[in-house]
Amino acid sequence: RQLLGFGGRAPLSQDFWPVPHREKVAMLYADKNALRTQLKVNMLKIRERELLFYTNNCLSISTSAALLAGFAWYGLTEVPFDERANAVTQTLYLVVTTLIMGLELLTVVNATLCAILGPGLALRGPDGSMHTAVNGMMTHYKFTLACFTGGLICFMLSALLYGWMQFKWELAMPMTLLLGYFLYTIFKYFVRIYRRFRLAPDRVVTGAFNADKQAQSEALQRERAAQEEKERRKMQEQMAHLPESVKASMGIQTDSGAGTSLSYS
């Protein structure tokens, strides 16, 4: 009776079980923790590939942007100006060239900070920092690419304005036609390549395993909220036809301005 825990005594503790049984329990617990840890490491390896993708892209964009920013600085400080040139053309040239330098320097700063701070957060941050770093780099990468594209367009416009500022129209016109042709060609190939490799937002596959589950949960919540709103409006329409005496007996408050309210006293 004492061994089985009867007679008001305390139940059996784990120390009662044989040593081999306790070792098997400990081994199962260790195996479960090892499996959980290995699964987490494998998930982080998949997410790391996304991190390297955005890091390499940021480094490539920053190199090209730094080159264009250097050209813009040279165009502002070293290019001679003709005093007989039109003042409006000179002003537009200076404004567009300054835009090139500003946009490309902004691209360099954003890309460099993302390439440095993003992997640092993923490597040394707390649990979940890998997902935060990848999502942040994804957002800033889109803005960085937009700044680089705007600076590239301004670079072509700056060359066009320089031709009209420094040369006569007989020389500036062929230059304008060629620049217009290449600008159209760049735009055409950009659109063609973008459409060929573009992924729709609903078809993008990420390394986050909870992304699909979260999206389904949000969609379910929106559908449930819409269904509840529909039922509430249907009930309001049904209650609106009841006599006032019935509404008063049921404790339904009636608002003449907003219709029937389904609050009960």
Side-chain angles (χ1 to χ4, degrees):
R1 291 170 60 89
Q2 294 179 359
L3 291 177
L4 295 178
F6 295 105
R9 295 182 179 273
L12 298 177
S13 63
Q14 294 182 356
D15 295 335
F16 174 76
W17 299 106
V19 175
H21 180 78
R22 294 202 301 268
E23 291 181 351
K24 289 181 179 180
V25 173
M27 290 175 60
L28 289 176
Y29 183 77
D31 290 341
K32 289 174 63 177
N33 285 337
L35 179 61
R36 188 182 297 111
T37 303
Q38 186 64 29
L39 177 61
K40 189 174 182 180
V41 170
N42 292 333
M43 291 172 61
L44 290 178
K45 287 182 179 180
I46 296 176
R47 200 66 169 165
E48 185 183 7
R49 298 176 63 180
E50 286 186 282
L51 184 69
L52 292 177
F53 169 76
Y54 288 111
T55 302
N56 294 332
N57 287 348
C58 287
L59 293 176
S60 300
I61 291 178
S62 64
T63 302
S64 302
L67 182 63
L68 293 178
F71 288 157
W73 173 256
Y74 181 84
L76 289 174
T77 58
E78 301 296 334
V79 172
F81 290 92
D82 189 0
E83 297 179 355
R84 296 172 297 177
N86 189 2
V88 177
T89 306
Q90 290 183 349
T91 303
L92 290 176
Y93 171 79
L94 293 175
V95 169
V96 173
T97 308
T98 305
L99 281 176
I100 298 171
M101 188 175 63
L103 289 173
E104 298 304 334
L105 287 179
L106 183 60
T107 302
V108 171
V109 171
N110 286 343
T112 304
L113 290 178
C114 287
I116 294 175
L117 300 181
L121 174 63
L123 181 63
R124 299 181 296 176
D127 190 18
S129 297
M130 174 67 77
H131 304 290
T132 304
V134 173
N135 295 332
M137 291 188 68
M138 186 186 306
T139 302
H140 290 288
Y141 172 74
K142 295 178 181 178
F143 175 74
T144 303
L145 184 60
C147 291
F148 176 76
T149 305
L152 186 62
I153 295 174
C154 290
F155 184 82
M156 302 291 290
L157 295 178
S158 177
L160 178 64
L161 292 172
Y162 178 79
W164 284 96
M165 182 181 65
Q166 295 295 108
F167 308 115
K168 296 181 180 181
W169 71 271
E170 294 88 353
L171 299 177
M173 184 57 69
M175 183 178 177
T176 302
L177 294 176
L178 287 175
L179 286 175
Y181 169 75
F182 283 109
L183 186 61
Y184 169 75
T185 305
I186 291 174
F187 176 77
K188 181 178 69 174
Y189 278 98
F190 175 82
V191 172
R192 178 186 299 178
I193 295 174
Y194 178 76
R195 288 179 177 176
R196 175 168 297 180
F197 296 104
R198 178 180 178 273
L199 275 175
D202 56 344
R203 299 183 62 184
V204 175
V205 179
T206 63
F209 284 84
N210 59 345
D212 297 337
K213 184 177 180 180
Q214 183 178 2
Q216 293 177 0
S217 177
E218 293 177 356
L220 183 61
Q221 291 178 359
R222 289 194 298 267
E223 184 179 356
R224 186 179 302 170
Q227 185 68 21
E228 291 178 356
E229 181 67 19
K230 184 178 179 180
E231 293 178 357
R232 187 181 66 84
R233 292 181 179 179
K234 185 177 180 180
M235 187 172 295
Q236 283 183 354
E237 293 177 357
Q238 293 177 356
M239 294 298 180
H241 299 288
L242 295 177
E244 295 296 332
S245 58
V246 178
K247 294 180 182 179
S249 63
M250 294 177 62
I252 302 176
Q253 299 179 359
T254 304
D255 188 0
S256 59
T260 303
S261 176
L262 295 181
S263 59
Y264 298 89
S265 59

